[in-house]
Amino acid sequence: MVTLKSIDECDGVPHANVFPAEEPKTIRLSLEEGERVGAHSHPDRQVVLYLISGELDLQLDGESHVVQTGDVVQFDGMREVAPVATADSTALIVLAKKNE
């Protein structure tokens, strides 16, 4: 089975589930400049964030990482993450279940 979807067609702000009820969980995150997502974690997941446009200050366990358009970040979902948009930003986030 193949599912093809435009990222712009995904409903939901700031989070839109790209393929509801499908694995791996895939989210489009849209933040306006200055907007943030509070600190949280995804304990049973590996996380990959691809920044489609904009710029983020990605806080991981309180450590700041500047993420720019075209950057890809991979991290363990046990880490506490808190993204802040330093410019209007859109990211594609994949939350893959960890292998046991």
Side-chain angles (χ1 to χ4, degrees):
M1 179 174 127
V2 174
T3 304
L4 178 64
K5 187 181 237 183
S6 168
I7 196 76
D8 295 327
E9 294 173 357
C10 299
D11 293 329
V13 175
H15 302 91
N17 195 335
V18 179
F19 305 111
E22 299 288 331
E23 287 289 338
K25 188 172 182 180
T26 306
I27 304 294
R28 185 212 56 213
L29 177 66
S30 297
L31 298 173
E32 294 181 2
E33 184 176 351
E35 197 172 7
R36 66 183 60 234
V37 176
H40 64 286
S41 63
H42 302 278
D44 299 323
R45 305 282 181 155
Q46 285 290 89
V47 182
V48 175
L49 180 150
Y50 169 66
L51 191 59
I52 297 168
S53 64
E55 184 175 283
L56 296 175
D57 176 7
L58 188 66
Q59 298 286 318
L60 292 170
D61 294 332
E63 184 180 329
S64 180
H65 302 271
V66 176
V67 182
Q68 298 178 330
T69 298
D71 287 349
V72 178
V73 181
Q74 185 275 327
F75 57 94
D76 189 304
M78 290 293 293
R79 298 189 71 178
E80 189 172 84
V81 59
V84 179
T86 54
D88 290 353
S89 300
T90 301
L92 185 68
I93 303 170
V94 178
L95 300 122
K97 288 184 180 180
K98 289 183 182 177
N99 293 333
E100 294 297 325

